[in-house]
Amino acid sequence: MKNNCISGRFLRRWRMAFVCVFLSLATVGCGDDDDLFDDDVKGSVTPGGDGGVPVDIPDANLRAALLSLLGTDELTTANLATVRSLTLKSKNYTTLEGISQLVNLDSLTIDNNAGKSMIAFPEEIVDMEHLHYLRASSVFKGTLPQELSGFTYFSVGDSYLEGNIPPRLLDVNAERVSLGIVRSRFTGMPVDLWRKLCADVETYQLSSNFAPQAKGYFLTLYDPDSLENNQFRPDGDVLLYRQATKGEGINMFILCDGFDRSCNAVNGVAEKVMKFTADQLFSINPMNKLRDYFNVYLIFAESPEKGVSYNTDDPNSSQGSHVSQTKFNTRQPSTTVRYYLCDTPGIMKYIEQCTGIAPWGGAVLLIAHNMVHGGSAGMEYASTRTSFSVSTVESAFAKTVWHESVGHSIGWLADEYVESSNGVTEVPARTKSDRLRAYAQNDYCHNVSYTNDTSAVWWADFIGDPRFEEENIGLYEGADYWALGVWRPTENSLMRSYDRDQQFNAPCRALIYKEVMRKAVNGFVYNYEDFVKFDMAESYYPLP
């Protein structure tokens, strides 16, 4: 079995081999290694390889590829040990039996095998301790060995592989990992692996693609460890995860839908997902500075089945559909839209029944057990300033929580992006009138403006303030879904895109700060300079 802990020296060596795989396509050398290739096989080998014991590779095509790569008439333990990377052309490989004889192989790529017989995933790969890069779309069938571990890149999408993803498949200690399993037949993703993949912080960026699966297959989270304890939290159980130490204490309620009894094991899937949600929510600025104003309650809700329905408007969709019976009837009408529907009044009533606390004026976060991208935030409770949002357990989970739960629900911010259908369109007069009336009446969405008068926008104080010079705050046309006739404060922000490292711009941070403080502190009155001092902390300086 591969060792999950990789030394820094080994990582550097693996990265060099990774580069060699791609440089060989252009017939460029890679350091002291020799790149050997022909039309059927490419690879990277190290010097040496003389002597050794003869080795039989049972798969005839694999044997022929290695003989070609090495330019030899005989395969031995010595020359096979020189192979560091291997790319095989699309051929009708039958077993890949003998692949583990490549004892120092770092990287294995098998070109798309679509239209040919699928290969049973070789069990012997478990014993290849140096193999950390595998790319093989439309190649494998069967199940993955549960002992498989230590990969930093594992892509086997569009395959006939099924069952659970092994709990230690990826090296979670690596700086960057990638998982590609989309349109396969997997049904289980380890929750601890999911948390690592979704920990979207600036020092770590995930490349992942794991949903949806092939038609008729549905991917959910599982926890191989907690079920062994045989201890489960009852439906309606409540855990106080964080208690406010400042202000009046804003109540935040996090609960899940589509999580059955097995998910509600003590320290199991639901508990880990909800705690991870709270941790991610308070990891972004300005929420990281406002966490002490919140009471965070985790509520365990038991659904009859695992998973959340999608494509409910079109069960015959070519993308497939999935229907589950859940506690709050959460569902996604179609995978072509991001929003989710659920029994919002029922959820609010359930929260009060379980906690004895009326949720009005607080923040409610519902986590839907669906790994297809989606999320939504409702503003139907604006009159009581009650936040409500839904996020799915997708690969961009952290950013979805930040955008939906922090941006829309807590900060009452508008979207700053433009719908593709409105790419060159000016906002209609009726829409503009309705938005202006609603925004003024409910005192929200002040991060967008329907005027380009710099003195009239909510963020006027930020424009020209040298303390925010790096953010280039001004008026940028295109926001609130329309390309023309509406403006936003910055070129980009978390309310506009999910690009890597996007954050809330300063006007958005100020609106989030204002909303939290006026709920948590009696008599609070927003003041621009007070916000700047809060935002800049130790680096604050007053303007002359």
Side-chain angles (χ1 to χ4, degrees), residues 168-232:
R168 290 168 293 280
L169 175 68
L170 296 182
D171 175 17
V172 295
N173 297 310
E175 179 181 337
R176 180 181 174 91
V177 296
S178 182
L179 177 66
I181 58 171
V182 70
R183 293 182 299 275
S184 297
R185 301 179 176 192
F186 292 108
T187 52
M189 166 78 77
V191 66
D192 289 337
L193 180 58
W194 172 84
R195 287 192 299 179
K196 171 64 176 178
L197 297 180
C198 296
D200 194 351
V201 296
E202 293 186 20
T203 57
Y204 174 83
Q205 180 68 14
L206 164 71
S207 294
S208 70
N209 199 357
F210 47 71
Q213 292 295 288
K215 192 171 183 177
Y217 292 84
F218 188 76
L219 188 64
T220 59
L221 298 172
Y222 78 98
D223 184 35
D225 299 322
S226 63
L227 294 178
E228 297 178 359
N229 299 331
N230 201 32
Q231 297 180 18
F232 299 88

Side-chain angles (χ1 to χ4, degrees), residues 293-308:
Y293 293 98
F294 286 85
N295 300 310
V296 180
Y297 296 91
L298 312 182
I299 304 174
F300 294 83
E302 184 177 313
S303 290
E305 298 179 72
K306 183 189 290 189
V308 165

Side-chain angles (χ1 to χ4, degrees), residues 112-128:
N112 193 315
N113 212 40
K116 301 180 183 293
S117 299
M118 293 283 179
I119 306 167
F121 191 90
E123 293 273 346
E124 59 188 289
I125 285 182
V126 170
D127 300 319
M128 300 177 69

Side-chain angles (χ1 to χ4, degrees), residues 285-297:
N285 191 15
M287 292 298 289
N288 55 354
K289 302 175 185 177
L290 296 167
R291 59 169 63 110
D292 292 336
Y293 293 98
F294 286 85
N295 300 310
V296 180
Y297 296 91

